[in-house]
Amino acid sequence: MPILKTSTDALAVPKTDITLDRNQLRQILQLSHAVNGSMSPAYLVQQMARAMEEIVPCMCCYVWVYDSASGEMWSYRDNVRLQTQADHILSGRAFLEKQQLHLSHPAEDSLLHEEYDRLDGARVGHYLAHPLFDAQGNALGVMQLMNSAIHPFSGSVMDMLGEWALLAGGRLRAVLELHQWQQAFYSFSDVLSETLDTRDYITSGHSRRVTLYAMEVAQQMNLNVGQRRRLQLAALLHDIGKLGIPELILLQKKRPGEDEYEIIRRHAQITRQILSRIQFPDRLREVVDIAAMHHEKLDGSGYPAGRRGDEIPLGAKILAVCDVFDALTSRRPYADRRPLEEVMEILEKETGSAFEPFIVYHFKNMPLSRLIQILEYGHTEHFDGEDLRRLDDHTLNDLARADGIATPVLEEIKQIFNHYYTRAYRG
Amino acid sequence: MPILKTSTDALAVPKTDITLDRNQLRQILQLSHAVNGSMSPAYLVQQMARAMEEIVPCMCCYVWVYDSASGEMWSYRDNVRLQTQADHILSGRAFLEKQQLHLSHPAEDSLLHEEYDRLDGARVGHYLAHPLFDAQGNALGVMQLMNSAIHPFSGSVMDMLGEWALLAGGRLRAVLELHQWQQAFYSFSDVLSETLDTRDYITSGHSRRVTLYAMEVAQQMNLNVGQRRRLQLAALLHDIGKLGIPELILLQKKRPGEDEYEIIRRHAQITRQILSRIQFPDRLREVVDIAAMHHEKLDGSGYPAGRRGDEIPLGAKILAVCDVFDALTSRRPYADRRPLEEVMEILEKETGSAFEPFIVYHFKNMPLSRLIQILEYGHTEHFDGEDLRRLDDHTLNDLARADGIATPVLEEIKQIFNHYYTRAYRG
């Protein structure tokens, strides 16, 4: 029988009679430090696998995590995500049966063969799947070791793995839980933003597009992960204050009058009132300022507070450009999309007074293929792949230059872009 | 000099030359297991303090955590929360200076005296404050030991504390971060629910009151923490689908017509559409069903899906009662509050067909003092304390009995209740 199964009921509680010597205990502690800072599931499972390889030198270690929503096991190796139905892989079987799975020889097991075929055709010399529990005894996933140099494992190596599984399992639970709540918050913001967008015919899809533009600019500007996350949330939520503006005003099919604009302008202040009551995590607190200041201008002529220059956070300055660009290029019930030249002229005129010049530059430096896909978000099914490839290598900055010296290539790019930009449809 | 300060720059990285013997290492590992399951900051800081007391027997240990939003330090002892400005306590000083603070003798330090006066007048024999870092070296708070039996601390005890501080610090960071995201999600739901309530004049404040009723029923029914959390979120968000209903219909000052009710009824289905796109953490997934089924009825005559009996989750059955009670007792632009007797009759009539009898019983079993405070939520400033105390000991169930056998006491309770219930005001 190549498959030995060991019940792991006892794994969920710390052993009191561990056989480990001082060096082994120190090693466990060191490894514990090594995963103790990880806040991301993808990073943590890789760190855990690396720690296992220190305990038991072996060809490949994986930590597989069970996702109860999908019934799948996922893992990461070399930052590549692996994912498959739990009953399609051995580690999934070990997880589902909550039992250690131990194979000493290349197995006849068909599941194993299939699995190894997927893993670069390597052949198994030794296989161990060890269920992972959190401190409450809830099963989280499986630690999997293959082709170890030491074989069979000694009792103390198994004890080290068990000890490690418990410590790392506790960390994994916390990090998974954290990740779930982060996803909950982001998906909530996302679905809310999309729902609110539909409340405003004038700018239907607006928050979504502003978010996509802002993420492009963030990439052009090489913003770090924290800055991107704050900008993304602020972009999704910047118009949440429109909840305080009557639909009678938002939904009319004519251009709003000055009195009505006066009311619409209140949304920026209402956005601040609403967002400042959300208890954002420390690192996201700036979201309130970024979102609430998206109508402030460099020269202090914006609203609601008339902030100027450095008083306006970078993220708000990015939103300002994206927000106005989207407003200028939106199709409206009472007007078609403005010609791109006109849009660029308005943007140009306000650069330096309203907008930060380097942000406008970065905005205009996104590939035209991305720009047109965001402009036409929700209507991209008729895009021609070859057209997109041609737009890949050019930007609005290029087109601006083309106005002076119109090379045949740039003229053609402009035509391709305008073909989609001026497309007439009502949906 | 009673105060010795030690720079703790080195504390943020694991020591490689630790002096600990095998037993000490095992103890650290055991303690690590002990905090490895905690997901709540309040519980964790107490577990951490208890672990410190195992390392260094001493009179009292605290883990103080710094809250950057308020500039305060907080801790828990015997499940009581302590909180104070960081610069008002010694541990806060140690935190702000990021330095170990070591006092060998009862100090002349006035801050310390003040602090000890607060702590039951105990006098210090020995004091150690040790900054707590996470794995990235961010300061989180302070571990504080007072009146230890061992004094002065040996080098290996200090090493154990240092080792412990690092492991526990990593856990603390994860748990604090988790808590922040949970708070972010709940406060987001809360502020959104309140904002949406204002969109619907007919039932302004409705979601808030339904949530308060539901929490009272949950307490009467002894629901566990998880059930309460799901019910709370579902109650806050049950009408989020009204975002899909035009304000023209929601905001009118007359009773809606049948066509309009038809449109309003769509909100339950829209609530499902919106909430099912939020990636709720595993334990909260039921929120979608609870919220979306608040108009289902026991006998299958409800909407949107006509579910019946056991197909409707307990939480949705609770919401159904609270939702209807609030609708029946709301002041409306076109009508005053219905007399309580009429409300109770309607509720009674639907019990068994629409509502689960034992839930109606629990609803009617909440103290009248709570009931009237929720009914009058936002207008409780004129409540008389003595009246509330008298209402404390009686319930709707009592009043129902009073209709048959009207004792003088119950008649009086009824009058007090009705005094607030029928109060006429417009605001």
Side-chain angles (χ1 to χ4, degrees):
Chain A
M1 272 294 284
I3 298 184
L4 307 172
K5 285 178 181 177
T6 321
S7 166
T8 49
D9 283 351
L11 288 177
V13 291
K15 296 181 188 178
T16 49
D17 57 341
I18 40 178
T19 62
L20 309 180
D21 66 26
R22 180 169 178 276
N23 278 339
Q24 288 170 316
L25 290 170
R26 272 190 54 182
Q27 197 185 354
I28 293 283
L29 275 174
Q30 292 290 337
L31 294 176
S32 206
H33 287 301
V35 299
N36 210 13
S38 180
M39 292 290 200
S40 123
Y43 186 53
L44 179 59
V45 298
Q46 295 181 83
Q47 279 184 308
M48 286 170 66
R50 230 171 299 149
M52 280 154 57
E53 289 170 0
E54 299 225 357
I55 298 172
V56 193
C58 64
M59 207 191 75
C60 58
C61 290
Y62 288 86
V63 170
W64 291 93
V65 179
Y66 182 71
D67 177 41
S68 64
S70 64
E72 292 180 322
M73 307 289 291
W74 61 264
S75 182
Y76 274 84
R77 177 99 191 171
D78 304 327
N79 285 318
V80 176
R81 189 181 170 96
L82 309 164
Q83 187 159 349
T84 181
Q85 279 297 318
D87 49 6
H88 287 188
I89 53 171
L90 272 177
S91 57
R93 192 197 283 174
F95 173 82
L96 294 172
E97 299 181 0
K98 307 280 177 288
Q99 286 199 322
Q100 214 180 65
L101 200 62
H102 209 152
L103 292 98
S104 309
H105 302 289
E108 274 66 63
D109 195 291
S110 64
L111 208 49
L112 187 68
H113 272 294
E114 240 182 78
E115 188 165 351
Y116 274 83
D117 286 344
R118 274 199 301 274
L119 295 167
D120 309 323
R123 284 289 168 267
V124 69
H126 190 91
Y127 176 99
L128 175 70
H130 187 95
L132 256 177
F133 295 89
D134 67 12
Q136 280 77 35
N138 304 306
L140 301 173
V142 163
M143 303 192 320
Q144 172 191 296
L145 294 94
M146 290 188 287
N147 286 5
S148 70
I150 308 172
H151 161 54
F153 297 145
S154 69
S156 76
V157 163
M158 290 303 293
D159 278 352
M160 276 183 84
L161 279 177
E163 187 75 23
W164 171 245
L166 268 169
L167 284 168
R171 183 79 199 173
L172 182 57
R173 160 62 74 197
V175 168
L176 287 174
E177 187 102 4
L178 176 61
H179 186 68
Q180 285 197 334
W181 282 94
Q182 290 172 332
Q183 278 196 308
F185 192 85
Y186 277 96
S187 61
F188 194 6
S189 306
D190 195 55
V191 66
L192 183 67
S193 145
E194 200 170 308
T195 307
L196 294 183
D197 271 356
T198 64
R199 229 185 124 239
D200 186 346
Y201 293 163
I202 296 185
T203 51
S204 169
H206 169 72
S207 303
R208 172 57 49 109
R209 288 190 304 268
V210 167
T211 306
L212 292 169
Y213 289 134
M215 290 298 95
E216 282 295 323
V217 174
Q219 188 170 336
Q220 295 292 326
M221 292 177 64
N222 256 318
L223 298 191
N224 67 36
V225 178
Q227 290 174 307
R228 286 182 203 212
R229 290 264 172 282
R230 289 188 286 276
L231 181 59
Q232 183 188 13
L233 267 184
L236 286 172
L237 300 173
H238 75 283
D239 270 352
I240 196 173
K242 287 205 174 159
L243 266 176
I245 312 298
E247 280 173 4
L248 265 179
I249 294 177
L250 292 179
L251 292 182
Q252 59 192 336
K253 303 216 177 231
K254 63 175 183 57
R255 194 181 302 272
E258 186 48 39
D259 286 3
E260 291 167 329
Y261 264 129
E262 191 59 44
I263 293 173
I264 291 174
R265 277 193 206 105
R266 288 186 202 149
H267 79 275
Q269 185 54 32
I270 302 174
T271 288
R272 175 175 296 280
Q273 285 162 12
I274 293 176
L275 294 190
S276 62
R277 290 177 51 207
I278 298 178
Q279 293 171 47
F280 282 104
D282 293 347
R283 274 172 252 185
L284 291 183
R285 251 178 234 153
E286 202 197 7
V287 167
V288 185
D289 276 341
I290 298 177
M293 294 201 206
H294 71 278
H295 282 297
E296 300 288 359
K297 298 183 174 182
L298 266 196
D299 61 8
S301 66
Y303 64 91
R307 298 291 181 90
R308 59 172 71 225
D310 289 346
E311 297 167 1
I312 309 167
L314 180 67
K317 292 175 177 171
I318 295 174
L319 281 195
V321 176
C322 303
D323 184 66
V324 166
F325 182 84
D326 188 69
L328 292 173
T329 57
S330 284
R331 297 191 170 86
R332 307 197 170 210
Y334 49 80
D336 263 343
R337 210 172 237 170
R338 283 168 198 263
L340 188 64
E341 288 75 14
E342 207 180 308
V343 172
M344 297 319 291
E345 264 168 42
I346 298 175
L347 215 62
E348 214 59 59
K349 222 183 71 190
E350 299 241 41
T351 299
S353 54
F355 308 128
E356 194 74 76
F358 71 91
I359 291 174
V360 175
Y361 175 81
H362 284 297
F363 184 92
K364 288 162 60 179
N365 224 26
M366 81 174 81
L368 288 177
S369 50
R370 281 301 296 151
L371 186 71
I372 195 67
Q373 288 188 78
I374 301 174
L375 274 161
E376 290 284 287
Y377 185 79
H379 307 277
T380 54
E381 64 282 5
H382 300 301
F383 274 44
D384 180 87
E386 182 52 30
D387 282 351
L388 285 179
R389 269 188 294 281
R390 301 215 46 196
L391 293 178
D392 256 353
D393 299 330
H394 295 85
T395 69
L396 285 179
N397 283 330
D398 297 340
L399 292 194
R401 281 193 284 275
D403 286 339
I405 341 139
T407 71
V409 172
L410 282 178
E411 272 306 319
E412 207 188 324
I413 292 294
K414 211 167 168 177
Q415 271 179 20
I416 297 175
F417 186 85
N418 267 322
H419 165 68
Y420 295 103
Y421 185 83
T422 59
R423 205 150 51 126
Y425 56 87
R426 299 265 171 244
Chain B
M1 274 296 284
I3 298 184
L4 307 173
K5 285 178 181 174
T6 320
S7 167
T8 49
D9 284 351
L11 288 178
V13 290
K15 296 181 188 180
T16 49
D17 57 342
I18 40 177
T19 61
L20 308 179
D21 65 27
R22 180 171 179 275
N23 279 339
Q24 288 170 316
L25 290 170
R26 274 190 53 181
Q27 198 183 353
I28 295 283
L29 276 173
Q30 291 289 337
L31 294 176
S32 206
H33 287 301
V35 299
N36 209 15
S38 180
M39 292 289 201
S40 123
Y43 186 54
L44 178 59
V45 298
Q46 295 180 84
Q47 278 184 309
M48 286 170 66
R50 230 171 299 150
M52 280 153 57
E53 288 169 2
E54 299 225 358
I55 299 172
V56 193
C58 66
M59 206 189 76
C60 57
C61 290
Y62 289 87
V63 170
W64 291 93
V65 179
Y66 183 70
D67 177 41
S68 64
S70 65
E72 292 180 322
M73 306 289 290
W74 61 263
S75 183
Y76 274 84
R77 176 102 193 168
D78 303 328
N79 283 318
V80 176
R81 187 181 172 94
L82 308 166
Q83 185 159 351
T84 180
Q85 278 298 315
D87 50 6
H88 286 188
I89 52 171
L90 272 177
S91 58
R93 194 197 282 174
F95 174 82
L96 294 172
E97 299 182 359
K98 307 280 178 286
Q99 285 200 324
Q100 214 180 65
L101 200 62
H102 209 153
L103 293 98
S104 308
H105 301 288
E108 274 67 60
D109 194 292
S110 64
L111 207 51
L112 187 67
H113 272 293
E114 242 182 76
E115 188 165 351
Y116 275 82
D117 286 344
R118 273 199 303 274
L119 295 167
D120 309 322
R123 284 290 167 269
V124 71
H126 190 91
Y127 177 99
L128 175 69
H130 188 94
L132 256 177
F133 295 89
D134 67 13
Q136 281 76 34
N138 303 307
L140 301 174
V142 163
M143 303 193 320
Q144 173 189 296
L145 294 95
M146 292 188 284
N147 287 6
S148 70
I150 309 171
H151 161 56
F153 296 147
S154 69
S156 76
V157 163
M158 290 302 293
D159 278 351
M160 277 182 83
L161 279 176
E163 186 75 22
W164 171 244
L166 269 169
L167 283 169
R171 183 78 199 174
L172 182 58
R173 159 61 75 198
V175 169
L176 287 174
E177 187 102 1
L178 175 62
H179 186 67
Q180 285 197 335
W181 283 93
Q182 290 171 332
Q183 279 197 307
F185 192 86
Y186 277 96
S187 62
F188 194 6
S189 307
D190 194 55
V191 65
L192 183 67
S193 144
E194 202 172 305
T195 307
L196 294 183
D197 271 358
T198 65
R199 228 183 125 240
D200 186 347
Y201 292 164
I202 295 183
T203 50
S204 169
H206 169 73
S207 303
R208 171 58 48 109
R209 288 190 303 269
V210 167
T211 306
L212 292 170
Y213 289 133
M215 290 298 95
E216 282 297 321
V217 174
Q219 188 170 335
Q220 295 292 326
M221 292 177 66
N222 258 318
L223 299 192
N224 67 36
V225 179
Q227 291 173 307
R228 286 182 204 214
R229 291 262 170 284
R230 290 188 283 277
L231 181 59
Q232 184 188 13
L233 267 184
L236 286 172
L237 300 173
H238 75 283
D239 270 352
I240 197 173
K242 288 207 173 159
L243 266 176
I245 312 297
E247 280 174 3
L248 266 178
I249 294 176
L250 293 178
L251 293 180
Q252 59 192 339
K253 303 216 179 234
K254 60 173 185 57
R255 195 182 301 269
E258 186 48 38
D259 285 3
E260 291 166 330
Y261 264 129
E262 192 59 45
I263 293 172
I264 292 175
R265 276 192 208 107
R266 290 184 200 152
H267 79 275
Q269 186 56 30
I270 303 175
T271 287
R272 175 175 296 279
Q273 284 162 11
I274 293 176
L275 294 190
S276 62
R277 289 179 50 207
I278 298 178
Q279 293 170 47
F280 283 105
D282 293 346
R283 273 172 254 187
L284 292 182
R285 249 177 239 154
E286 200 197 8
V287 167
V288 185
D289 276 342
I290 299 177
M293 295 201 205
H294 70 279
H295 282 298
E296 299 290 358
K297 297 182 174 183
L298 267 196
D299 61 8
S301 67
Y303 64 91
R307 299 293 181 90
R308 61 174 68 225
D310 291 346
E311 298 167 359
I312 309 167
L314 178 68
K317 292 175 177 171
I318 296 174
L319 281 195
V321 176
C322 302
D323 185 66
V324 166
F325 183 84
D326 188 70
L328 291 173
T329 57
S330 283
R331 297 191 170 85
R332 307 197 170 208
Y334 50 80
D336 264 343
R337 210 171 237 169
R338 284 168 197 263
L340 187 64
E341 288 74 12
E342 207 180 306
V343 172
M344 298 317 294
E345 264 168 41
I346 298 175
L347 216 61
E348 214 59 59
K349 221 184 69 189
E350 300 241 39
T351 299
S353 55
F355 308 128
E356 193 74 76
F358 71 91
I359 291 174
V360 175
Y361 174 81
H362 283 298
F363 185 91
K364 288 162 62 181
N365 223 26
M366 81 175 81
L368 288 177
S369 51
R370 281 301 297 151
L371 185 71
I372 195 67
Q373 287 187 78
I374 301 174
L375 274 160
E376 289 285 284
Y377 185 78
H379 307 278
T380 54
E381 64 284 5
H382 301 300
F383 273 46
D384 180 87
E386 183 52 32
D387 283 352
L388 285 180
R389 269 187 296 281
R390 300 214 49 196
L391 293 178
D392 257 352
D393 299 330
H394 295 85
T395 68
L396 285 177
N397 283 330
D398 298 338
L399 291 193
R401 281 193 284 275
D403 285 339
I405 341 138
T407 71
V409 172
L410 282 178
E411 271 307 319
E412 208 186 325
I413 291 296
K414 210 168 171 177
Q415 270 178 23
I416 297 175
F417 187 84
N418 268 321
H419 165 68
Y420 295 102
Y421 184 82
T422 60
R423 207 149 50 125
Y425 56 86
R426 299 263 172 244

